């Protein structure tokens, strides 16, 4: 058995359409396994955890199953009990065929289940202002974790374990007008985490600076591990010709003959100004937009909707797609002339790294962590200035030499965020925290 066992929360890992946090969690689990650390995942199924191992695994594999509407009384009882902690019991996998899409089971040794744990903890925090403690009911086969990794800002902590919190960004506080979250509640959780965390992990120096400045956390309690990109298995072994045939067949798009903007549509991603700039540029290269609607999406798609409802030439040049499987999205990224990602603010900016890793030129913004991640390997624009974005689009559309230079620099820059580099940074953190790794896996 490994000398160190780490449990990662599974709040986002069960989402059928994935998320950036889910991608981070899967990469974290894979990296911990390579380091010789035993891995576990904590799920929060909607139904009570039973003594029937088959039914328990079914509920983990099908978290959207209707569990009935719990009465207000039952919610109150669970919330009240959370003051003294919530139990998590082991669930042994192996009998159920899990989905193979975004909710595919993560690579891990075992699972824990605690009914509706993530929402219950938030409700409890509103009443108590305290982090909810998880009591791991270990058995002969599943030991309690030595480390708990919380992959987002959530009011939970593991009993008798080191608690490491990843704070990707403080965007609800930095740019409060760009989210619908309760800012007072969010800030209170951040402060409680700052008081109770054994260590805080971030994905950029920009995010670290925000946490130091806005929450008052000492810099020596924060480690920037950056992130890594894990492309779909075998994707980069496929030839350019094969990818070109795929995107032509799936979308009718030519190889390196379109711009791409992807991600959940919300104000922070700046789609509205991106569309305005694209239209103002007058370029005839199509613009592909891939992503589902998020919060406050209507203002971001207003111009797009008007254009697509019209009969002008521009309507035929803008293609709107919703959720795509990971492999098909990767092909779309790889085949694009350039990624357009002038986000208003990011704690990291995974699409930038993904595009650079796949040999696609990038346009991104001067805000937040994006210049740090791009590292001189992208065209940088002012995300609030439509004319700045327009000029960037024109430059990338008309200058093949510029695109080639961005691709070459991007390939080099992406190596700084390779899985091996991420593993080295995480190993260093574990070593500094006094956690033991498997022999031979500490370098």
């Amino acid at each position: 058995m490994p000398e160190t066992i780490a449990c990662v929360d599974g709040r986002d890992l069960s989402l059928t359409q994935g998320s950036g946090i889910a991608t981070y969690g899967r990469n974290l689990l894979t990296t911990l396994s390579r380091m010789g650390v035993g891995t576990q995942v904590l799920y929060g199924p909607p139904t009570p955890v039973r003594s029937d191992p088959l039914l328990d695994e079914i509920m983990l594999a099908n978290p959207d199953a209707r569990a009935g509407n719990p009465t207000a009384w039952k919610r109150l009882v669970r919330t009240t009990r959370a003051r003294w902690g919530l139990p998590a019991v082991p669930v042994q996998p192996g009998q159920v065929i899990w989905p193979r899409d975004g909710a595919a089971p993560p690579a891990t040794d075992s699972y824990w289940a605690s009914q509706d744990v993530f929402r219950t903890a938030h409700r409890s925090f509103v009443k108590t202002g305290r982090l909810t403690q998880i009591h791991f009911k270990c058995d002969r086969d599943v030991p309690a974790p030595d480390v708990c990794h919380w992959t987002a800002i959530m009011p939970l902590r593991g009993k008798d374990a080191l608690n490491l919190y990843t704070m990707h960004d403080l965007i609800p506080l930095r740019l409060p007008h760009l989210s619908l979250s309760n800012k007072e509640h969010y800030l209170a959780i951040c402060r409680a985490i700052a008081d109770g965390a054994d260590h805080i992990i971030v994905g950029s120096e920009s995010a670290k600076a925000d946490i130091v400045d806005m929450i008052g956390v000492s810099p020596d309690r924060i480690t920037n591990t950056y992130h890594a990109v894990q492309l779909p298995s075998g994707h980069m072994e496929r030839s350019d010709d094969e990818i070109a045939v795929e995107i032509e067949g799936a979308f009718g798009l030519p190889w390196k003959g379109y711009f791409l903007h992807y991600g959940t549509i919300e104000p922070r991603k700046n789609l509205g100004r991106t569309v305005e700039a694209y239209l103002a540029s007058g370029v005839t290269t199509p613009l592909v937009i891939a992503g589902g609607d998020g919060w406050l999406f209507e203002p971001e798609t207003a111009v797009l909707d008007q254009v697509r409802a019209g009969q002008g030439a521009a309507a035929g040049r803008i293609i709107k797609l919703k959720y795509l499987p990971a492999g098909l999205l990767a092909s779309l990224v790889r085949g694009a002339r350039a990624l357009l990602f002038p986000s208003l603010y990011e704690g990291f900016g995974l699409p930038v790294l993904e595009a650079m890793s796949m040999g696609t030129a990038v346009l991104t913004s001067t805000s937040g962590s994006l210049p740090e991640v791009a590292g001189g390997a992208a065209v940088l624009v002012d995300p609030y200035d439509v004319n700045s974005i327009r000029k960037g689009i024109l430059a990338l559309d008309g200058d093949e030499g510029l695109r080639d230079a961005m691709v070459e620099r991007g390939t080099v820059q992406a190596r700084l965020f390779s899985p091996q580099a991420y593993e080295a940074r995480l190993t260093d953190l574990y070593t500094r925290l006094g956690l033991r790794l498997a022999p031979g896996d500490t370098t």
Side-chain angles (χ1 to χ4, degrees), residues 296-381:
L296 300 176
F297 74 90
E298 293 91 346
E300 295 302 303
T301 60
V303 173
L304 171 64
D305 292 341
Q306 291 177 26
V307 170
R308 296 180 72 223
Q311 302 298 318
R317 297 201 306 271
I318 301 180
I319 301 168
K320 175 72 169 66
L321 306 170
K322 289 205 173 182
Y323 174 74
L324 294 174
L328 193 54
L329 178 59
S331 295
L332 203 59
V333 174
R334 188 169 158 189
R337 179 166 296 184
L339 171 71
L340 305 183
F341 193 74
S343 174
L344 298 181
Y345 211 84
E346 295 288 331
F348 184 72
L350 193 58
V352 170
L353 178 56
E354 289 171 338
M356 292 193 302
S357 299
M358 288 186 273
T360 297
V362 173
L363 176 151
T364 192
S365 81
T366 53
S367 296
S369 65
L370 292 166
E372 182 183 343
V373 174
V379 172
L380 298 183
V381 299

Side-chain angles (χ1 to χ4, degrees), residues 45 48-61 89-91 113:
V49 181
R50 300 169 174 84
S51 58
D52 185 332
L54 175 57
L55 190 56
D56 286 341
E57 187 184 2
I58 288 171
M59 296 314 300
L60 296 192
V89 300
V91 176

